[in-house]
Amino acid sequence: MDTLLAFLTVFTQPELLLLVGLGTFAGVYVGAIPGLSVTMAVSILISFTFSWDVYPAISLMIGIFMGGVYGGSRTAILLNIPGAPSAIATALDGYPMAQRGEAGTAIGVTTVMSFFGGFIGIAVLALAAPLVSDFALKFQPRDYMLLAVLGILLVGSLSSGSLVKGIFAGALGIAIGAVGRDPLTFTERFTFDLTIMQSGISFIAVMIGMFGVSEALMQLHHVDKTAVRQKITRIVPSFGTIRKHLPLSLQTSTIGVIIGALPGTGGDIAALMAYDHAKRVTKKPERPFGQGAMEGLVAPETANNAAVGGAFIPMMTLGIPGDAVTAIMIGALFIHGLNPGPMLMIDQPDMFWFIVGALVMANFFMLLFGLTGIKLFTRIVEMPRGVLIPLIMLLSIVGAYAVNNSISDIYWMLGFGFFGYFMRHYGYPLGPVILGVILSRLLDDNWRRAIISEREDLGRFFHGIFTSPLSLVLFIAVILIFVSQTPLWARAKAKLFGDPAERVQQ
């Protein structure tokens, strides 16, 4: 009975309901502005809410978290500028839809599927948190390293043209992510004795430059072209559309929950892995991926919102943050005299169920705010390019500066913007660059932890992989995905199965 009352607290107290709603509304629009991250917003809130009671403070933070994860898709669809790293995959098919005049449809689908993914993540948190946290604890450093390698192999999915160009772009991203001081030995890497490079390069600056500034430069070729009128006839997707994509959304939500529950990963990796999964399992999309495929919106949006519930699982059951935002929320709970972890579940189960209730309410508010104001948002795409290009540049500059309040980040953003423009001009994909930057630290740190734990003995390292069922499954997945992206596999597949049209003729 006490747990039920704790769950219903947020629904029955108008003050808490209002705070969750305000937080979600603010999160949607904070998430939509490149560079203004949810992590930043929640960390600022701690200084304002430390004197509050714990329920109101947590309600506001949860609202911003849930709204912000979804909000990044808005500018990804409308301007090809992901509001957050987790929206990179959404831009790949959302922006082509906006260019066809289908921005309203794209936003409607992402909103409903984000709600669905969020609900799956919350349901797993409520019903199976101990089981998922036990599974997450089985991951060793070598497993995180293999997971990062799996992520890097996604370059095949993010490269619509040449795989070789995709591999080059991914390797470039890994090199950019390695710039700065080594976190273990504190030695300089790729700094060329320049002070500005010792602290590394902000991947947010790289992302905004590659997508935002390069998009503004590409638009300069079409300044006199009339903007595409957006068709806002039906915003909420039909039941048939939802039913058609239900199996895929369940699969990608599962990916989101599992990746979200692994400490140090998060929604950005979950969204990219889900996008890759969608490309592999979708045999006949209505449109090709990268040109406005509906599945290219469903997969990343369900995954990154399901990862929110997943991130709370290790936080609530083990006291280990699933991502940067839950790390800050652990600090908030400590400030209010609570100790997240196994004892919290035993001593104060009402707090666990209150957080579940707040997440449910924030998910409903996200659906409400996501489906309103779409007509106003789509007017952005219909602006004359003489107004749109300066707006993109302004958002890019504000976003790059806001991360660290650093002018040097603006210089990096502009530099990578020009570089991204030439990459696009010569047919090099931008997605693998950002993927490489995101995964570089995860790969580097866990490779070294794994090899140090095996006393720098490669034999012991591979023995650990082949004797651990989890490591072995990940290793086999890496091999299979790598082989499936080679021309040799494509020729072997064609030889084995042939072309159905040719078989009919024979």
Side-chain angles (χ1 to χ4, degrees), residues 195-210:
T195 306
I196 193 175
M197 299 183 74
Q198 289 183 5
S199 58
I201 300 172
S202 166
F203 81 88
I204 297 292
V206 177
M207 181 188 77
I208 293 173
M210 286 276 187

Side-chain angles (χ1 to χ4, degrees), residues 214-258:
S214 70
E215 179 61 32
L217 295 173
M218 292 295 289
Q219 293 281 356
L220 288 174
H221 294 283
H222 313 287
V223 173
D224 298 328
K225 189 177 178 181
T226 307
V228 176
R229 298 290 298 176
Q230 299 297 319
K231 300 185 286 288
I232 313 292
T233 51
R234 183 180 184 131
I235 293 171
V236 180
S238 65
F239 180 73
T241 302
I242 295 172
R243 185 178 58 188
K244 177 185 176 183
H245 297 112
L246 189 61
L248 175 63
S249 58
L250 283 170
Q251 295 166 31
T252 52
S253 295
T254 304
I255 292 171
V257 172
I258 294 172

Side-chain angles (χ1 to χ4, degrees), residues 64-128:
I64 285 188
F65 189 10
M66 186 64 79
V69 170
Y70 159 76
S73 63
R74 287 286 175 97
T75 45
I77 292 169
L78 297 174
L79 301 174
N80 200 27
I81 311 174
S86 58
I88 290 170
T90 306
L92 297 176
D93 287 281
Y95 186 61
M97 288 184 71
Q99 289 180 309
R100 285 192 174 94
E102 300 170 358
T105 303
I107 294 175
V109 168
T110 57
T111 303
V112 172
M113 289 305 173
S114 293
F115 172 79
F116 181 82
F119 179 77
I120 296 294
I122 297 164
V124 174
L125 169 65
L127 302 175

Side-chain angles (χ1 to χ4, degrees), residues 122-146:
I122 297 164
V124 174
L125 169 65
L127 302 175
L131 293 174
V132 177
S133 62
D134 287 345
F135 175 70
L137 278 178
K138 289 182 169 64
F139 272 70
Q140 301 294 319
R142 63 174 176 265
D143 301 317
Y144 280 102
M145 186 211 74
L146 289 168

Side-chain angles (χ1 to χ4, degrees), residues 27 126 236 349 414 419 449 467:
V236 180
L414 292 172
F419 187 66
R449 285 180 189 138
T467 54

Side-chain angles (χ1 to χ4, degrees), residues 327-356:
I328 295 167
M329 294 190 77
I330 285 177
L333 291 174
F334 273 122
I335 288 170
H336 290 282
L338 300 171
N339 188 12
M343 295 312 295
L344 181 69
M345 303 282 288
I346 297 168
D347 297 338
Q348 291 181 301
D350 56 323
M351 175 53 67
F352 173 81
W353 288 106
F354 171 78
I355 286 177
V356 172

